[in-house]
Amino acid sequence: MNLKSSNNVATNQYALELEVSPEELDKAVAEVYKKESRRMSIPGFRKGKAPRAFIEKMYGEDVFFQAAVDHLYTPMMNTAIEASGLEVVGVNTFDIKEIGKEKGILAELTVTVQPEVKIEGYKGIEVSRSPVEPTAEDIDAEIDRVRQRNSRVVAVEDRPAENGDMVVIDFDGYMDGKQFDGGKAENFDLTLGSGQFIPGFEDQVAGHNPDDEFDVNVTFPEDYHAEELKGKPAVFKVKLHEIKRRELPEVDDEFVKDVSEFDTLDEYKKDLENTVRSRKEKAAEAEVEQQLVQAVIDRVEAEIPDMMVEREIDEMINAFEMQLRDQGMNLEAFLKYTQGTVDSLREQYKDRAEKQVRVRLGLSQIAAQEHLEITDEEVEEEFKKIGDAYGVPLENVKGLIREKDVRKDIANQKAVDFIKANAVITEKQSGGEEAQE
């Protein structure tokens, strides 16, 4: 089989005409005959035993043509695409123009190809980076988180409930003097000031003591999720059982010994500074890369084929389905719960998918324009990283992922590194001033 012609028929679309010789067609027919004849009932023969010539005489010489075309489809498609030298995104149509024992097959594929991409102005991009030096507030916040983890809950008996307390309550909701669904619970744990309940509810629990019974009057918000409750006034009959508060440990050397490997508060704070600095450095670098990626998106000039965006959406939905399965849910249940549809979900992903496609095209073009080379050693190392990350043997990884795709990923990362190395990075200062690198 060989490629006869390749013609540009529309923006990002080509028609590839492919020939299959009579000999190749006959060989394919001979192969499918063995399988197809087992399903055919021919008078005077057991299934699968009728000679091919007899079947073709009885049903016509084209009786096995469709099966032969199906058998040849993948090698035909691969031959046409490889011979064309095009960066094919996907196949749009596949048509048989001619087929016969004497002429073989003449087929036509229409394919979508990667668009022509133009990108300029990616050197000297101006971006800003957040400060990475830890502040006293950063260290205090870290210590507060550790104090919260090491706190204990104690009963409050000498005062009424106040914001920040945890209370245990019974409540029973009424609207127009009648109970409504979902408005009743017993021994419910509620943190006052958390905003867990509708506005006004928690404020009216504050100020009461254990064993108090009282009414809470509220109005459901206009955007409340239950249609029958939107904007409606309601009365909750409440009984307060317990008030509890979280008691935080004092921050001193003894606290440090309990929560770390250090003996003094100064040593502990020094270690926290290093931890916070490292985290802020990673966040700052990610922030810079995000700005650079957006700058690439803004500078890409290309007519993006719909097929590329739709395939990106497919990958996003597949990844989302995997996350749902990890949480014990499936996509169908999620859509039912959220009252959504697959189409509405695809629409939500569309803008992000187009940006993903656009940035990959832009980075790929930058890598080509700057002649960023990828070595075999780098490809091998990337395969190894993937295998190590997922606990999969190296040879299995190579069987699952194309080397071509790995090279593209490495090239794209090199492009990001290139534009970062050539960027003008402004350091944000706490006082609002900025300094340039």
Side-chain angles (χ1 to χ4, degrees):
M1 57 186 73
N2 68 285
L3 181 67
K4 186 179 179 182
S5 64
S6 172
N7 298 299
N8 184 204
V9 293
T11 303
N12 302 322
Q13 287 193 15
Y14 277 76
L16 308 180
E17 203 169 52
L18 182 75
E19 293 178 318
V20 176
S21 70
E23 294 76 20
E24 289 170 316
L25 173 60
D26 185 66
K27 183 180 177 182
V29 169
E31 290 178 5
V32 300
Y33 150 73
K34 300 171 187 175
K35 182 179 178 181
E36 296 296 316
S37 63
R38 296 192 194 108
R39 304 193 190 105
M40 305 175 77
S41 296
I42 306 298
F45 296 94
R46 297 196 309 274
K47 278 191 175 181
K49 298 300 181 180
R52 171 183 160 187
F54 188 90
I55 297 173
E56 289 179 336
K57 184 175 181 181
M58 184 173 182
Y59 290 101
E61 70 170 24
D62 61 349
V63 63
F64 295 118
F65 281 0
Q66 184 57 56
V69 169
D70 293 341
H71 179 72
L72 290 170
Y73 174 74
T74 298
M76 289 171 68
M77 179 182 67
N78 290 341
T79 297
I81 291 172
E82 186 175 347
S84 72
L86 299 169
E87 282 283 341
V88 174
V89 175
V91 177
N92 296 43
T93 62
F94 176 81
D95 295 313
I96 300 298
K97 299 296 185 181
E98 296 179 1
I99 186 168
K101 277 189 174 183
E102 304 300 324
K103 61 181 74 171
I105 300 173
L106 180 64
E108 183 181 80
L109 293 85
T110 58
V111 297
T112 294
V113 299
Q114 286 207 18
E116 180 182 341
V117 179
K118 292 182 181 179
I119 183 166
E120 298 176 351
Y122 51 84
K123 295 179 184 177
I125 296 172
E126 296 184 6
V127 295
S128 59
R129 178 165 54 197
S130 295
V132 300
E133 197 59 32
T135 64
E137 290 78 10
D138 293 331
I139 304 305
D140 289 343
E142 287 293 313
I143 292 175
D144 281 343
R145 280 191 280 272
V146 177
R147 291 179 75 201
Q148 289 290 339
R149 288 200 299 269
N150 290 272
S151 63
R152 64 191 186 104
V153 176
V154 298
V156 175
E157 298 175 345
D158 58 349
R159 62 168 175 77
E162 59 186 37
N163 232 24
D165 286 342
M166 294 166 283
V167 297
V168 180
I169 59 173
D170 297 340
F171 59 86
D172 192 4
Y174 291 82
M175 187 174 291
D176 297 328
K178 297 179 181 179
Q179 289 179 312
F180 57 86
D181 291 340
K184 184 175 182 178
E186 295 181 351
N187 295 315
F188 188 89
D189 291 316
L190 173 65
T191 299
L192 301 183
S194 65
Q196 186 177 354
F197 276 27
I198 60 175
F201 188 101
E202 294 167 25
D203 294 338
Q204 294 177 60
V205 175
H208 289 281
N209 294 287
D211 297 325
D212 282 359
E213 296 185 32
F214 51 94
D215 289 350
V216 169
N217 294 279
V218 293
T219 300
F220 282 92
E222 293 292 342
D223 60 353
Y224 195 67
H225 62 83
E227 190 67 36
E228 67 277 9
L229 300 178
K230 287 182 177 180
K232 300 290 180 62
V235 177
F236 286 88
K237 296 187 178 300
V238 179
K239 181 172 183 179
L240 195 154
H241 293 293
E242 297 178 68
I243 304 172
K244 297 177 284 187
R245 67 180 176 84
R246 197 172 290 279
E247 189 175 78
L248 301 177
E250 291 294 325
V251 181
D252 52 25
D253 289 348
E254 290 306 312
F255 165 75
V256 169
K257 291 174 184 177
D258 288 340
V259 302
S260 74
E261 59 189 28
F262 302 101
D263 294 323
T264 68
L265 183 57
D266 286 343
E267 291 175 322
Y268 183 51
K269 284 187 173 181
K270 190 69 176 175
D271 183 67
L272 286 179
E273 283 182 11
N274 293 332
T275 300
V276 171
R277 183 181 294 107
S278 177
R279 186 172 66 234
K280 292 181 78 171
E281 284 172 351
K282 289 178 181 177
E285 288 307 305
E287 179 186 21
V288 166
E289 285 199 6
Q290 287 172 2
Q291 293 175 69
L292 292 173
V293 164
Q294 185 58 53
V296 169
I297 292 171
D298 295 340
R299 285 162 173 75
V300 168
E301 295 180 30
E303 293 188 41
I304 310 295
D306 290 341
M307 184 182 287
M308 294 186 77
V309 177
E310 292 302 318
R311 287 195 173 181
E312 187 69 24
I313 294 172
D314 289 340
E315 291 186 14
M316 289 178 171
I317 290 179
N318 288 339
F320 182 55
E321 281 189 281
M322 290 179 65
Q323 291 177 3
L324 290 175
R325 284 197 293 271
D326 289 342
Q327 298 167 12
M329 186 182 284
N330 57 40
L331 184 61
E332 183 181 357
F334 171 81
L335 292 174
K336 184 176 180 181
Y337 179 76
T338 58
Q339 298 182 331
T341 64
V342 173
D343 286 342
S344 65
L345 187 62
R346 294 186 72 85
E347 189 62 31
Q348 289 176 40
Y349 281 128
K350 187 173 182 179
D351 184 58
R352 183 150 62 98
E354 185 170 346
K355 286 182 178 179
Q356 290 276 62
V357 172
R358 190 171 285 275
V359 73
R360 278 203 299 270
L361 290 171
L363 292 174
S364 178
Q365 185 63 24
I366 291 171
Q369 289 177 187
E370 299 300 330
H371 307 290
L372 303 179
E373 296 183 359
I374 295 91
T375 66
D376 292 341
E377 290 75 18
E378 288 172 326
V379 173
E380 191 71 11
E381 183 60 29
E382 188 64 22
F383 272 126
K384 188 175 182 302
K385 283 181 184 177
I386 296 170
D388 291 344
Y390 292 97
V392 178
L394 183 60
E395 290 309 310
N396 290 11
V397 174
K398 290 181 176 181
L400 293 168
I401 303 174
R402 298 185 305 175
E403 180 180 325
K404 180 180 178 181
D405 293 331
V406 171
R407 285 184 176 274
K408 282 184 178 180
D409 288 342
I410 296 172
N412 287 353
Q413 185 55 53
K414 284 194 171 189
V416 170
D417 295 339
F418 178 86
I419 59 175
K420 186 192 292 187
N422 287 276
V424 177
I425 302 176
T426 301
E427 298 286 351
K428 297 177 185 175
Q429 303 296 318
S430 56
E433 298 177 356
E434 295 183 341
Q436 290 188 345
E437 278 192 354

